[in-house]
Amino acid sequence: MTGNICVLAEQWKGQISEVTYELLVLGREVADQLGVPLTAILTGFRSRDLAARLGAADSVINIDHPLLAEVIPQTCTDALVQVLTGTRPGAVLVPLTNISLGIGTLIGARMGLPVVNFCNDLKVTDGRIEAHCVMYGGKIEAIVEARTASALQPAVLGIWPGARRADNGRTERAVPVTDAAVVLEGTQPIRLSKYIEPEAGGVDLTKQDVLVAVGRGIQDRGNLSMAEDLANALGGAVCGSRPVIDQGWLPLSRQVGKSGLTVKPKVYVALGISGAPEHIEGMKDSRLIIAVNSDPRAPIFNVAHYGIVGDVLEMLPALTAAIEARKAAGQHA
Ligand code: FAD
């Protein structure tokens, strides 16, 4: 595996996570530029079937063990270190999600490898990997050279979700799967006691094609019905920035941003949202962003594809009426 680019394939409750496909796309770009193979490493229990979904890699290493049924960073690290020890991958890409966050850093600490976290992009320059890192909700950006000590020394790279489009990493291609045996102690220091499920009955924002997001500029809970009307006209759902959730106008399951959900709908309509880094982090990869704000200097306009400078309370009924009129005329909204 010398020089290979490895991707830690994250799974959650029997499904490959979206971020895994994103990392496979990014890993493929890096591997191709370096002229080395791309390997996916999957941990789990009786989850070999999931390896078939990782055809974007050139090969898959499947680590199967009862203690890997749940993603416990320490246990996964024990397994991964056994597989990686003695090999010389070029880099190990690890998703920076709540599930996998700790694994990359633990691998680095256990194997004495350099770890670069908070990456949202990787580039190959003169045969070396450069990581583009974003910290503190976008307030600090840094270019970090991943390999410092020797050209053969691997690095562990923690990658934010959203680095690439997941769709491009899904393929039916069949690739070789190797089963790797590991020895894990029955008495792991950390065990999962139970899941606490999020409140039931909420809309899953991550599955919506259209999101109508409201911010403090909506001014009053009573005005939310106008946003609901627009969302209904567009066939989407309403979500909000943190102040809207903090005031109890929408449930926590509707919060977008750093301490909420990361969404990538086809259309994201931001109404009276200033565009703080913590909000942008959760929606910047939406395919089409339309912003309405009374302040022409609002940072949301830096990421919006279309912007309307105006009063959201005037714009909302006008937008909804225009969309309903187009639908009535048999045109696409
Ligand atoms: P404001 O920043 O107050 O902006 C309101 C906007 O509405 C302004 O731009 C104003 O010009 C406009 N406006 C006012 N009236 C009108 C009108 N009539 N018509 C049109 N426009 C109008 N925020 C999140 O959203 N999600 C998170 O997950 C999140 N996590 C955080 C985590 C941490 C650790 C921290 C420190 C902060 C977090 N925040 C988060 C908060 C974030 O920093 C901002 O405070 C928040 O996003 C601002 O929300 P807002 O844009 O709705 O409000």
Side-chain angles (χ1 to χ4, degrees):
M1 212 159 54
T2 302
N4 285 22
I5 300 300
C6 296
V7 167
L8 176 63
E10 180 181 294
Q11 56 144 323
W12 180 243
K13 294 187 176 180
Q15 299 290 327
I16 296 290
S17 304
E18 289 285 289
V19 70
T20 299
Y21 298 114
E22 297 171 7
L23 263 58
L24 286 170
V25 177
L26 182 61
R28 166 59 64 203
E29 288 175 20
V30 174
D32 286 354
Q33 286 176 63
L34 291 171
V36 297
L38 176 66
T39 304
I41 307 180
L42 178 69
T43 63
F45 181 49
R46 295 182 181 145
S47 52
R48 198 177 199 278
D49 288 354
L50 294 178
R53 318 236 173 102
L54 303 172
D58 296 308
S59 61
V60 180
I61 296 175
N62 179 49
I63 313 177
D64 192 89
H65 193 284
L67 287 177
L68 296 172
E70 310 294 349
V71 187
I72 309 290
Q74 285 75 4
T75 315
C76 286
T77 302
D78 283 353
L80 289 162
V81 166
Q82 289 176 44
V83 170
L84 290 170
T85 297
T87 67
R88 282 268 159 206
V92 183
L93 277 53
V94 178
L96 277 191
T97 61
N98 289 340
I99 299 166
S100 303
L101 187 66
I103 298 175
T105 308
L106 282 171
I107 293 175
R110 292 273 301 277
M111 298 183 69
L113 301 177
V115 177
V116 183
N117 271 329
F118 315 123
C119 310
N120 73 350
D121 203 3
L122 302 175
K123 291 201 166 34
V124 176
T125 307
D126 297 331
R128 302 172 83 88
I129 301 173
E130 273 181 6
H132 183 229
C133 306
V134 180
M135 290 161 276
Y136 299 108
K139 290 194 175 74
I140 295 180
E141 296 189 10
I143 306 288
V144 181
E145 193 171 274
R147 290 198 245 173
T148 49
S150 91
L152 272 181
Q153 186 175 23
V156 181
L157 306 171
I159 315 286
W160 287 120
R164 291 293 183 275
R165 294 205 79 83
D167 289 350
N168 300 335
R170 280 185 249 272
T171 167
E172 301 292 315
R173 190 169 79 125
V175 295
V177 179
T178 308
D179 292 304
V182 291
V183 179
L184 297 173
E185 299 287 333
T187 52
Q188 291 290 311
I190 296 178
R191 304 293 291 270
L192 182 86
S193 56
K194 67 170 179 177
Y195 289 111
I196 301 172
E197 297 289 348
E199 47 201 283
V203 172
D204 184 352
L205 294 187
T206 62
K207 302 265 179 341
Q208 300 293 318
D209 281 345
V210 179
L211 286 174
V212 174
V214 292
R216 214 189 314 247
I218 197 79
Q219 295 174 25
D220 190 85
R221 180 198 286 261
N223 295 327
L224 272 179
S225 61
M226 287 196 279
E228 293 281 0
D229 290 344
L230 179 62
N232 288 339
L234 290 168
V238 172
C239 57
S241 65
R242 182 154 143 181
V244 170
I245 278 66
D246 285 350
Q247 292 183 84
W249 297 351
L250 286 172
L252 184 59
S253 57
R254 302 283 185 116
Q255 181 174 320
V256 170
K258 188 184 193 67
S259 44
L261 290 165
T262 298
V263 296
K264 296 178 212 168
K266 289 182 182 160
V267 181
Y268 190 88
V269 187
L271 304 166
I273 292 178
S274 58
E278 293 83 4
H279 187 81
I280 301 286
E281 191 176 316
M283 46 64 76
K284 65 179 184 339
D285 293 314
S286 305
R287 211 169 291 175
L288 180 75
I289 301 170
I290 302 162
V292 181
N293 199 299
S294 51
D295 177 2
R297 290 164 306 164
I300 191 75
F301 290 128
N302 296 335
V303 293
H305 301 98
Y306 294 96
I308 302 171
V309 177
D311 186 336
V312 74
L313 302 181
E314 286 174 21
M315 292 297 161
L316 258 173
L319 281 170
T320 307
I323 287 158
E324 294 293 9
R326 284 183 75 104
K327 282 163 69 176
Q331 296 170 301
H332 286 297

